[in-house]
Amino acid sequence: MTTKRNQLLVFILTFGVFSILNTEMGVIGILPLIAEHYEVSISTAGLIVSLFALAVAISGPILPLLFSGMNRKHVMLFVLGIFIVGSLVSAITSNFTVLVIARVVPAFFHPVYCSLAFTVAAASVPKEEAPKAVAKVFVGVSAGMVLGVPLSSLIATSTSLFYAMLFFAAVTIVAFVATLLFVPSMPVTKRISMGTHLYVLRRSVMWLSIAGVIFMNGAVFGVYSYLAEFLKTVTRYDWNTVSVLLFLYGLANMVGNMIAGKLLANFPLRTIKMYPIALITVYILLFTFGQFSVPTAFLIFIWGIIGGIGGNITQYWVVSAAPEAPELSNGIFLTSSNLGTTLGASVCGLIVTGISTQYIVVGGIVFLIFSIVTNYFRISMTGRFEGSKVEG
């Protein structure tokens, strides 16, 4: 009975993460349409992605700690409620500034829910199984791409942006109701001392982990933020095909999530070392063959698998540096990953406007080279051996 309750809890956490990531990432599939609707440039429309990520980055180390002493179920309901209101406002506004505000305000509470989801999922299983439990929650992140990005694109092109935004709200309402009805009350019985948190922040290995995550995440989402534009202008797909390929990427991400859980439970360091090299290879091939439809579709699928593995790697990289403070380390992970998204989207946005869309992969490669350097120093500093379950 306990196992079934834990499975249901992890499933609801996964769906809750999906609802939030659906709201965050779903707009990527409709950025060109948003730019057209609000009469702004594509790089200005990209602000609703980069500023969302920046808000998450700012609040990541702070708000999860402020809410850490409260009943976890109540906190989850509060955050989901804020996201519902934000999506409804986004649906009805005709002002781009209001749209940005309606997205940025909920973004500050994004780390509160996701940090709780990762922490609770990891705590629901034996320690050695934690990477697999977290990988299941990460499926919610990928599902936001599998369903959120292509469906928002399909809904917006078939009907209007209004219904695409309502789609974000509807999914979050389902998560809210499931949490209300099926998640048990989870009062916090023991809070981690502020001294422990300060000790974690003094560790050099933590700051190297943060740098590695910023570069690894920037490499993926800097390019992914303009994937719809790349497929439209470089590969010259029509919008329906773009939606299908965005779906394919997200589906591949889910595959990568499940693979990552097993890899990180058994071969963490080897996985982390090979990840940037594999992604650099994909980006070089995408730059070379991006004008050809069939090779591009194949590369999008491979990129999706590697990107799914990367999401799990970045969470593991930070949390393994401070396993004794999961709320803080998960908050720091969300901050560093969203800083990477903000930085990557900004740099690749400059590449789009200053050079051409085809060259966004060059920005991703530069970020990956920096990640190789920072990860090397992190691994050298810890001196851990392959297969270690606890790093740092």
Side-chain angles (χ1 to χ4, degrees), residues 158-199:
S158 301
T159 56
S160 68
L161 287 175
F162 171 78
Y163 289 104
M165 297 297 182
L166 281 187
F167 165 65
F168 300 149
V171 172
T172 312
I173 289 171
V174 173
F176 183 95
V177 173
T179 302
L180 181 65
L181 296 179
F182 301 111
V183 172
S185 178
M186 293 184 287
V188 176
T189 57
K190 182 181 179 181
R191 295 188 65 177
I192 298 172
S193 69
M194 186 58 65
T196 299
H197 291 146
L198 293 175
Y199 175 72

mmCIF file of all heavy atoms in Angstrom, residues 158-199:
data_model
loop_
_atom_site.group_PDB
_atom_site.id
_atom_site.type_symbol
_atom_site.label_atom_id
_atom_site.label_comp_id
_atom_site.label_asym_id
_atom_site.label_seq_id
_atom_site.Cartn_x
_atom_site.Cartn_y
_atom_site.Cartn_z
ATOM 1 N N SER A 158 -4.235 26.987 -35.190
ATOM 2 C CA SER A 158 -5.567 26.527 -35.598
ATOM 3 C C SER A 158 -6.667 27.459 -35.115
ATOM 4 O O SER A 158 -7.698 27.613 -35.791
ATOM 5 C CB SER A 158 -5.833 25.119 -35.061
ATOM 6 O OG SER A 158 -4.868 24.207 -35.526
ATOM 7 N N THR A 159 -6.454 28.074 -33.947
ATOM 8 C CA THR A 159 -7.490 28.957 -33.381
ATOM 9 C C THR A 159 -6.900 30.347 -33.132
ATOM 10 O O THR A 159 -6.956 31.209 -33.993
ATOM 11 C CB THR A 159 -8.053 28.364 -32.080
ATOM 12 O OG1 THR A 159 -6.987 28.124 -31.147
ATOM 13 C CG2 THR A 159 -8.768 27.049 -32.358
ATOM 14 N N SER A 160 -6.339 30.553 -31.935
ATOM 15 C CA SER A 160 -5.749 31.849 -31.600
ATOM 16 C C SER A 160 -4.844 31.703 -30.391
ATOM 17 O O SER A 160 -4.854 30.662 -29.703
ATOM 18 C CB SER A 160 -6.844 32.878 -31.294
ATOM 19 O OG SER A 160 -7.513 32.542 -30.083
ATOM 20 N N LEU A 161 -4.060 32.740 -30.110
ATOM 21 C CA LEU A 161 -3.209 32.746 -28.922
ATOM 22 C C LEU A 161 -4.033 32.642 -27.647
ATOM 23 O O LEU A 161 -3.574 32.080 -26.647
ATOM 24 C CB LEU A 161 -2.362 34.025 -28.892
ATOM 25 C CG LEU A 161 -1.203 34.111 -29.880
ATOM 26 C CD1 LEU A 161 -0.557 35.492 -29.801
ATOM 27 C CD2 LEU A 161 -0.172 33.035 -29.601
ATOM 28 N N PHE A 162 -5.239 33.179 -27.656
ATOM 29 C CA PHE A 162 -6.121 33.136 -26.485
ATOM 30 C C PHE A 162 -6.326 31.696 -26.018
ATOM 31 O O PHE A 162 -6.178 31.383 -24.829
ATOM 32 C CB PHE A 162 -7.472 33.780 -26.840
ATOM 33 C CG PHE A 162 -8.535 33.602 -25.794
ATOM 34 C CD1 PHE A 162 -8.537 34.376 -24.641
ATOM 35 C CD2 PHE A 162 -9.537 32.665 -25.972
ATOM 36 C CE1 PHE A 162 -9.518 34.214 -23.680
ATOM 37 C CE2 PHE A 162 -10.531 32.491 -25.016
ATOM 38 C CZ PHE A 162 -10.523 33.280 -23.862
ATOM 39 N N TYR A 163 -6.627 30.797 -26.932
ATOM 40 C CA TYR A 163 -6.879 29.405 -26.567
ATOM 41 C C TYR A 163 -5.587 28.668 -26.194
ATOM 42 O O TYR A 163 -5.617 27.733 -25.385
ATOM 43 C CB TYR A 163 -7.613 28.687 -27.696
ATOM 44 C CG TYR A 163 -9.045 29.137 -27.836
ATOM 45 C CD1 TYR A 163 -9.426 29.991 -28.876
ATOM 46 C CD2 TYR A 163 -10.017 28.742 -26.924
ATOM 47 C CE1 TYR A 163 -10.729 30.429 -28.997
ATOM 48 C CE2 TYR A 163 -11.331 29.179 -27.037
ATOM 49 C CZ TYR A 163 -11.678 30.022 -28.071
ATOM 50 O OH TYR A 163 -12.980 30.459 -28.178
ATOM 51 N N ALA A 164 -4.478 29.070 -26.761
ATOM 52 C CA ALA A 164 -3.197 28.474 -26.369
ATOM 53 C C ALA A 164 -2.892 28.789 -24.907
ATOM 54 O O ALA A 164 -2.438 27.922 -24.150
ATOM 55 C CB ALA A 164 -2.085 28.985 -27.276
ATOM 56 N N MET A 165 -3.127 30.044 -24.491
ATOM 57 C CA MET A 165 -2.908 30.430 -23.101
ATOM 58 C C MET A 165 -3.902 29.734 -22.165
ATOM 59 O O MET A 165 -3.561 29.358 -21.036
ATOM 60 C CB MET A 165 -3.013 31.952 -22.951
ATOM 61 C CG MET A 165 -1.962 32.734 -23.731
ATOM 62 S SD MET A 165 -0.277 32.382 -23.186
ATOM 63 C CE MET A 165 0.656 33.499 -24.264
ATOM 64 N N LEU A 166 -5.140 29.556 -22.625
ATOM 65 C CA LEU A 166 -6.131 28.827 -21.828
ATOM 66 C C LEU A 166 -5.711 27.372 -21.625
ATOM 67 O O LEU A 166 -6.010 26.770 -20.589
ATOM 68 C CB LEU A 166 -7.501 28.878 -22.495
ATOM 69 C CG LEU A 166 -8.312 30.163 -22.329
ATOM 70 C CD1 LEU A 166 -9.717 29.968 -22.911
ATOM 71 C CD2 LEU A 166 -8.420 30.569 -20.862
ATOM 72 N N PHE A 167 -5.027 26.822 -22.623
ATOM 73 C CA PHE A 167 -4.511 25.454 -22.507
ATOM 74 C C PHE A 167 -3.537 25.352 -21.329
ATOM 75 O O PHE A 167 -3.593 24.410 -20.532
ATOM 76 C CB PHE A 167 -3.824 25.054 -23.818
ATOM 77 C CG PHE A 167 -2.952 23.828 -23.722
ATOM 78 C CD1 PHE A 167 -3.500 22.585 -23.453
ATOM 79 C CD2 PHE A 167 -1.574 23.926 -23.911
ATOM 80 C CE1 PHE A 167 -2.699 21.455 -23.364
ATOM 81 C CE2 PHE A 167 -0.765 22.809 -23.827
ATOM 82 C CZ PHE A 167 -1.330 21.562 -23.557
ATOM 83 N N PHE A 168 -2.650 26.351 -21.186
ATOM 84 C CA PHE A 168 -1.723 26.355 -20.050
ATOM 85 C C PHE A 168 -2.496 26.371 -18.731
ATOM 86 O O PHE A 168 -2.165 25.646 -17.786
ATOM 87 C CB PHE A 168 -0.808 27.584 -20.110
ATOM 88 C CG PHE A 168 0.035 27.680 -21.354
ATOM 89 C CD1 PHE A 168 0.401 28.915 -21.866
ATOM 90 C CD2 PHE A 168 0.454 26.544 -22.018
ATOM 91 C CE1 PHE A 168 1.174 29.011 -23.016
ATOM 92 C CE2 PHE A 168 1.232 26.624 -23.167
ATOM 93 C CZ PHE A 168 1.586 27.866 -23.671
ATOM 94 N N ALA A 169 -3.533 27.208 -18.642
ATOM 95 C CA ALA A 169 -4.320 27.310 -17.413
ATOM 96 C C ALA A 169 -5.051 26.010 -17.120
ATOM 97 O O ALA A 169 -5.102 25.564 -15.960
ATOM 98 C CB ALA A 169 -5.316 28.467 -17.529
ATOM 99 N N ALA A 170 -5.622 25.376 -18.138
ATOM 100 C CA ALA A 170 -6.407 24.156 -17.945
ATOM 101 C C ALA A 170 -5.558 23.026 -17.373
ATOM 102 O O ALA A 170 -5.989 22.298 -16.467
ATOM 103 C CB ALA A 170 -7.037 23.732 -19.274
ATOM 104 N N VAL A 171 -4.346 22.882 -17.894
ATOM 105 C CA VAL A 171 -3.455 21.824 -17.403
ATOM 106 C C VAL A 171 -3.104 22.061 -15.928
ATOM 107 O O VAL A 171 -3.091 21.124 -15.118
ATOM 108 C CB VAL A 171 -2.176 21.761 -18.258
ATOM 109 C CG1 VAL A 171 -1.166 20.805 -17.646
ATOM 110 C CG2 VAL A 171 -2.511 21.326 -19.679
ATOM 111 N N THR A 172 -2.841 23.302 -15.578
ATOM 112 C CA THR A 172 -2.486 23.624 -14.196
ATOM 113 C C THR A 172 -3.674 23.404 -13.262
ATOM 114 O O THR A 172 -3.499 22.987 -12.101
ATOM 115 C CB THR A 172 -1.993 25.077 -14.076
ATOM 116 O OG1 THR A 172 -1.033 25.325 -15.100
ATOM 117 C CG2 THR A 172 -1.336 25.314 -12.725
ATOM 118 N N ILE A 173 -4.882 23.657 -13.727
ATOM 119 C CA ILE A 173 -6.077 23.399 -12.922
ATOM 120 C C ILE A 173 -6.206 21.916 -12.608
ATOM 121 O O ILE A 173 -6.549 21.525 -11.483
ATOM 122 C CB ILE A 173 -7.344 23.917 -13.656
ATOM 123 C CG1 ILE A 173 -7.355 25.456 -13.654
ATOM 124 C CG2 ILE A 173 -8.610 23.384 -12.987
ATOM 125 C CD1 ILE A 173 -8.439 26.056 -14.537
ATOM 126 N N VAL A 174 -5.919 21.059 -13.573
ATOM 127 C CA VAL A 174 -5.958 19.608 -13.342
ATOM 128 C C VAL A 174 -4.939 19.225 -12.259
ATOM 129 O O VAL A 174 -5.234 18.429 -11.355
ATOM 130 C CB VAL A 174 -5.679 18.834 -14.645
ATOM 131 C CG1 VAL A 174 -5.550 17.339 -14.358
ATOM 132 C CG2 VAL A 174 -6.789 19.084 -15.664
ATOM 133 N N ALA A 175 -3.731 19.790 -12.333
ATOM 134 C CA ALA A 175 -2.705 19.512 -11.321
ATOM 135 C C ALA A 175 -3.159 19.991 -9.943
ATOM 136 O O ALA A 175 -2.926 19.308 -8.928
ATOM 137 C CB ALA A 175 -1.391 20.191 -11.709
ATOM 138 N N PHE A 176 -3.795 21.145 -9.902
ATOM 139 C CA PHE A 176 -4.294 21.698 -8.636
ATOM 140 C C PHE A 176 -5.327 20.762 -8.012
ATOM 141 O O PHE A 176 -5.254 20.438 -6.810
ATOM 142 C CB PHE A 176 -4.913 23.074 -8.890
ATOM 143 C CG PHE A 176 -5.397 23.778 -7.653
ATOM 144 C CD1 PHE A 176 -4.585 24.691 -6.998
ATOM 145 C CD2 PHE A 176 -6.664 23.532 -7.144
ATOM 146 C CE1 PHE A 176 -5.027 25.340 -5.848
ATOM 147 C CE2 PHE A 176 -7.128 24.172 -6.005
ATOM 148 C CZ PHE A 176 -6.301 25.077 -5.360
ATOM 149 N N VAL A 177 -6.282 20.300 -8.807
ATOM 150 C CA VAL A 177 -7.339 19.422 -8.296
ATOM 151 C C VAL A 177 -6.764 18.086 -7.831
ATOM 152 O O VAL A 177 -7.141 17.561 -6.764
ATOM 153 C CB VAL A 177 -8.421 19.203 -9.376
ATOM 154 C CG1 VAL A 177 -9.432 18.151 -8.922
ATOM 155 C CG2 VAL A 177 -9.135 20.509 -9.695
ATOM 156 N N ALA A 178 -5.830 17.517 -8.611
ATOM 157 C CA ALA A 178 -5.208 16.237 -8.227
ATOM 158 C C ALA A 178 -4.451 16.381 -6.910
ATOM 159 O O ALA A 178 -4.504 15.490 -6.051
ATOM 160 C CB ALA A 178 -4.271 15.765 -9.333
ATOM 161 N N THR A 179 -3.737 17.486 -6.753
ATOM 162 C CA THR A 179 -3.001 17.730 -5.504
ATOM 163 C C THR A 179 -3.964 17.884 -4.335
ATOM 164 O O THR A 179 -3.754 17.317 -3.250
ATOM 165 C CB THR A 179 -2.136 19.003 -5.634
ATOM 166 O OG1 THR A 179 -1.246 18.850 -6.731
ATOM 167 C CG2 THR A 179 -1.330 19.251 -4.361
ATOM 168 N N LEU A 180 -5.047 18.624 -4.549
ATOM 169 C CA LEU A 180 -6.036 18.865 -3.501
ATOM 170 C C LEU A 180 -6.682 17.559 -3.031
ATOM 171 O O LEU A 180 -6.869 17.343 -1.823
ATOM 172 C CB LEU A 180 -7.108 19.827 -4.015
ATOM 173 C CG LEU A 180 -8.225 20.204 -3.043
ATOM 174 C CD1 LEU A 180 -7.669 20.998 -1.872
ATOM 175 C CD2 LEU A 180 -9.317 20.988 -3.766
ATOM 176 N N LEU A 181 -6.982 16.673 -3.964
ATOM 177 C CA LEU A 181 -7.737 15.469 -3.632
ATOM 178 C C LEU A 181 -6.877 14.289 -3.194
ATOM 179 O O LEU A 181 -7.294 13.499 -2.331
ATOM 180 C CB LEU A 181 -8.587 15.048 -4.846
ATOM 181 C CG LEU A 181 -9.674 16.027 -5.295
ATOM 182 C CD1 LEU A 181 -10.410 15.472 -6.511
ATOM 183 C CD2 LEU A 181 -10.654 16.311 -4.157
ATOM 184 N N PHE A 182 -5.674 14.153 -3.757
ATOM 185 C CA PHE A 182 -4.933 12.907 -3.583
ATOM 186 C C PHE A 182 -3.592 13.027 -2.863
ATOM 187 O O PHE A 182 -3.032 12.013 -2.454
ATOM 188 C CB PHE A 182 -4.709 12.237 -4.945
ATOM 189 C CG PHE A 182 -5.985 11.915 -5.668
ATOM 190 C CD1 PHE A 182 -6.344 12.602 -6.816
ATOM 191 C CD2 PHE A 182 -6.845 10.929 -5.190
ATOM 192 C CE1 PHE A 182 -7.525 12.314 -7.489
ATOM 193 C CE2 PHE A 182 -8.025 10.627 -5.853
ATOM 194 C CZ PHE A 182 -8.366 11.323 -6.999
ATOM 195 N N VAL A 183 -3.062 14.223 -2.729
ATOM 196 C CA VAL A 183 -1.781 14.375 -2.016
ATOM 197 C C VAL A 183 -2.069 14.532 -0.525
ATOM 198 O O VAL A 183 -2.866 15.392 -0.137
ATOM 199 C CB VAL A 183 -0.998 15.600 -2.541
ATOM 200 C CG1 VAL A 183 0.219 15.862 -1.661
ATOM 201 C CG2 VAL A 183 -0.565 15.364 -3.980
ATOM 202 N N PRO A 184 -1.442 13.710 0.309
ATOM 203 C CA PRO A 184 -1.687 13.816 1.751
ATOM 204 C C PRO A 184 -1.046 15.073 2.335
ATOM 205 O O PRO A 184 -0.152 15.667 1.728
ATOM 206 C CB PRO A 184 -1.011 12.560 2.316
ATOM 207 C CG PRO A 184 0.083 12.264 1.325
ATOM 208 C CD PRO A 184 -0.479 12.658 -0.019
ATOM 209 N N SER A 185 -1.528 15.461 3.497
ATOM 210 C CA SER A 185 -0.910 16.581 4.201
ATOM 211 C C SER A 185 0.538 16.227 4.528
ATOM 212 O O SER A 185 0.829 15.112 4.972
ATOM 213 C CB SER A 185 -1.679 16.884 5.487
ATOM 214 O OG SER A 185 -1.076 17.936 6.196
ATOM 215 N N MET A 186 1.454 17.150 4.290
ATOM 216 C CA MET A 186 2.874 16.883 4.503
ATOM 217 C C MET A 186 3.513 17.985 5.344
ATOM 218 O O MET A 186 4.275 18.822 4.842
ATOM 219 C CB MET A 186 3.604 16.753 3.156
ATOM 220 C CG MET A 186 3.203 15.544 2.346
ATOM 221 S SD MET A 186 4.176 15.350 0.818
ATOM 222 C CE MET A 186 3.473 16.671 -0.163
ATOM 223 N N PRO A 187 3.181 18.014 6.652
ATOM 224 C CA PRO A 187 3.809 19.021 7.521
ATOM 225 C C PRO A 187 5.295 18.748 7.668
ATOM 226 O O PRO A 187 5.745 17.596 7.618
ATOM 227 C CB PRO A 187 3.074 18.846 8.847
ATOM 228 C CG PRO A 187 2.571 17.441 8.816
ATOM 229 C CD PRO A 187 2.255 17.137 7.382
ATOM 230 N N VAL A 188 6.087 19.797 7.829
ATOM 231 C CA VAL A 188 7.535 19.662 7.982
ATOM 232 C C VAL A 188 7.856 19.502 9.462
ATOM 233 O O VAL A 188 7.484 20.338 10.286
ATOM 234 C CB VAL A 188 8.261 20.899 7.407
ATOM 235 C CG1 VAL A 188 9.758 20.806 7.657
ATOM 236 C CG2 VAL A 188 7.972 21.018 5.918
ATOM 237 N N THR A 189 8.531 18.419 9.790
ATOM 238 C CA THR A 189 8.840 18.130 11.197
ATOM 239 C C THR A 189 10.233 18.592 11.611
ATOM 240 O O THR A 189 10.508 18.807 12.777
ATOM 241 C CB THR A 189 8.725 16.621 11.463
ATOM 242 O OG1 THR A 189 9.600 15.906 10.568
ATOM 243 C CG2 THR A 189 7.295 16.148 11.237
ATOM 244 N N LYS A 190 11.128 18.745 10.623
ATOM 245 C CA LYS A 190 12.491 19.133 10.946
ATOM 246 C C LYS A 190 13.040 20.055 9.870
ATOM 247 O O LYS A 190 13.055 19.699 8.695
ATOM 248 C CB LYS A 190 13.394 17.902 11.085
ATOM 249 C CG LYS A 190 14.832 18.233 11.466
ATOM 250 C CD LYS A 190 15.676 16.970 11.574
ATOM 251 C CE LYS A 190 17.130 17.293 11.925
ATOM 252 N NZ LYS A 190 17.965 16.076 12.010
ATOM 253 N N ARG A 191 13.475 21.234 10.247
ATOM 254 C CA ARG A 191 14.071 22.176 9.308
ATOM 255 C C ARG A 191 15.590 22.154 9.421
ATOM 256 O O ARG A 191 16.140 22.021 10.516
ATOM 257 C CB ARG A 191 13.564 23.600 9.572
ATOM 258 C CG ARG A 191 12.086 23.788 9.334
ATOM 259 C CD ARG A 191 11.691 25.251 9.425
ATOM 260 N NE ARG A 191 12.305 26.040 8.353
ATOM 261 C CZ ARG A 191 12.064 27.335 8.177
ATOM 262 N NH1 ARG A 191 11.247 27.983 8.993
ATOM 263 N NH2 ARG A 191 12.647 27.995 7.191
ATOM 264 N N ILE A 192 16.243 22.285 8.273
ATOM 265 C CA ILE A 192 17.711 22.318 8.258
ATOM 266 C C ILE A 192 18.175 23.677 8.746
ATOM 267 O O ILE A 192 17.618 24.709 8.390
ATOM 268 C CB ILE A 192 18.234 22.037 6.830
ATOM 269 C CG1 ILE A 192 17.791 20.637 6.388
ATOM 270 C CG2 ILE A 192 19.749 22.151 6.769
ATOM 271 C CD1 ILE A 192 18.088 20.346 4.948
ATOM 272 N N SER A 193 19.208 23.689 9.580
ATOM 273 C CA SER A 193 19.671 24.938 10.193
ATOM 274 C C SER A 193 20.284 25.867 9.158
ATOM 275 O O SER A 193 20.781 25.435 8.110
ATOM 276 C CB SER A 193 20.706 24.635 11.275
ATOM 277 O OG SER A 193 21.901 24.149 10.695
ATOM 278 N N MET A 194 20.250 27.164 9.466
ATOM 279 C CA MET A 194 20.847 28.156 8.576
ATOM 280 C C MET A 194 22.358 27.959 8.477
ATOM 281 O O MET A 194 22.963 28.230 7.432
ATOM 282 C CB MET A 194 20.533 29.562 9.089
ATOM 283 C CG MET A 194 20.980 30.678 8.146
ATOM 284 S SD MET A 194 20.251 30.538 6.488
ATOM 285 C CE MET A 194 18.507 30.802 6.887
ATOM 286 N N GLY A 195 22.973 27.452 9.558
ATOM 287 C CA GLY A 195 24.409 27.182 9.541
ATOM 288 C C GLY A 195 24.788 26.168 8.478
ATOM 289 O O GLY A 195 25.807 26.312 7.801
ATOM 290 N N THR A 196 23.951 25.135 8.319
ATOM 291 C CA THR A 196 24.194 24.120 7.280
ATOM 292 C C THR A 196 24.107 24.744 5.897
ATOM 293 O O THR A 196 24.932 24.475 5.021
ATOM 294 C CB THR A 196 23.174 22.974 7.399
ATOM 295 O OG1 THR A 196 23.306 22.352 8.672
ATOM 296 C CG2 THR A 196 23.398 21.930 6.313
ATOM 297 N N HIS A 197 23.114 25.607 5.702
ATOM 298 C CA HIS A 197 22.956 26.277 4.410
ATOM 299 C C HIS A 197 24.166 27.155 4.091
ATOM 300 O O HIS A 197 24.669 27.159 2.965
ATOM 301 C CB HIS A 197 21.687 27.125 4.412
ATOM 302 C CG HIS A 197 20.436 26.317 4.432
ATOM 303 N ND1 HIS A 197 19.296 26.702 5.081
ATOM 304 C CD2 HIS A 197 20.152 25.100 3.887
ATOM 305 C CE1 HIS A 197 18.355 25.785 4.927
ATOM 306 N NE2 HIS A 197 18.853 24.807 4.210
ATOM 307 N N LEU A 198 24.631 27.896 5.080
ATOM 308 C CA LEU A 198 25.786 28.775 4.864
ATOM 309 C C LEU A 198 27.043 27.958 4.577
ATOM 310 O O LEU A 198 27.882 28.359 3.757
ATOM 311 C CB LEU A 198 25.998 29.668 6.086
ATOM 312 C CG LEU A 198 24.902 30.713 6.341
ATOM 313 C CD1 LEU A 198 25.179 31.452 7.651
ATOM 314 C CD2 LEU A 198 24.811 31.698 5.185
ATOM 315 N N TYR A 199 27.186 26.827 5.246
ATOM 316 C CA TYR A 199 28.343 25.958 5.013
ATOM 317 C C TYR A 199 28.345 25.455 3.568
ATOM 318 O O TYR A 199 29.384 25.424 2.901
ATOM 319 C CB TYR A 199 28.310 24.784 5.978
ATOM 320 C CG TYR A 199 29.396 23.765 5.724
ATOM 321 C CD1 TYR A 199 30.735 24.047 6.021
ATOM 322 C CD2 TYR A 199 29.085 22.520 5.170
ATOM 323 C CE1 TYR A 199 31.733 23.113 5.773
ATOM 324 C CE2 TYR A 199 30.079 21.581 4.916
ATOM 325 C CZ TYR A 199 31.398 21.892 5.220
ATOM 326 O OH TYR A 199 32.381 20.967 4.972
#
